[in-house]
Amino acid sequence: YQRRVHGTLSECLFFFGHPMSSIAAIPKVIDVDWRFGVTAASSENDEEGTTFLHVKLTLEDAKNSHRNVYFECTVQQFYDLLHELNVAKHKLSTIE
């Protein structure tokens, strides 16, 4: 969980090597797993008590290969991610 991701879902997928230029290049999200945490102690005083989530996305590419993508985000970024996943799911369901 070393990467901190900022931005939209499409920016995150591009960051992880999935340019959004082709619908075929968009990986299918198979699973989303997360763990909630709170920083109990830190050498940085302003970080104590902050909340975060460790997220694991299981993605499937066009060749049915699975890979896991790990990142850390804030609670608000996580809610934004879930919202974007639901919007993407709705848009894709209208195409199929």
Side-chain angles (χ1 to χ4, degrees), residues 1 3 7 33 37 39 42 54 63 65 68-69 72 77 85 92:
Y1 296 101
R3 295 182 177 176
D33 184 36
T39 304
S42 173
H54 286 163
K63 298 176 185 175
S65 298
N68 295 324
V69 176
E72 182 178 294
Q77 287 172 321
L85 287 172
L92 288 172

Side-chain angles (χ1 to χ4, degrees), residues 78-89:
F78 182 70
Y79 284 129
D80 292 344
L81 172 67
L82 290 180
H83 173 74
E84 286 194 54
L85 287 172
N86 283 323
V87 168
K89 178 181 174 183

Side-chain angles (χ1 to χ4, degrees), residues 4 6 36-54 72 74:
R4 288 185 181 258
H6 306 281
F36 181 80
V38 177
T39 304
S42 173
S43 60
E44 303 292 326
N45 288 336
D46 60 337
E47 289 189 16
E48 290 180 10
T50 58
T51 56
F52 60 89
L53 286 110
H54 286 163
E72 182 178 294
T74 66

Side-chain angles (χ1 to χ4, degrees), residues 17-77:
H18 298 284
M20 302 294 280
S21 59
S22 167
I23 193 84
I26 300 172
K28 181 178 181 182
V29 177
I30 301 297
D31 190 30
V32 179
D33 184 36
W34 66 89
R35 294 182 185 168
F36 181 80
V38 177
T39 304
S42 173
S43 60
E44 303 292 326
N45 288 336
D46 60 337
E47 289 189 16
E48 290 180 10
T50 58
T51 56
F52 60 89
L53 286 110
H54 286 163
V55 181
K56 177 180 89 169
L57 293 177
T58 302
L59 305 176
E60 180 180 86
D61 64 17
K63 298 176 185 175
N64 295 327
S65 298
H66 290 189
R67 81 177 185 123
N68 295 324
V69 176
Y70 301 91
F71 59 93
E72 182 178 294
C73 61
T74 66
V75 174
Q76 184 58 53
Q77 287 172 321

Side-chain angles (χ1 to χ4, degrees), residues 9-20:
L9 175 62
S10 58
E11 290 167 339
C12 294
L13 290 175
F14 183 81
F15 177 78
F16 289 113
H18 298 284
M20 302 294 280

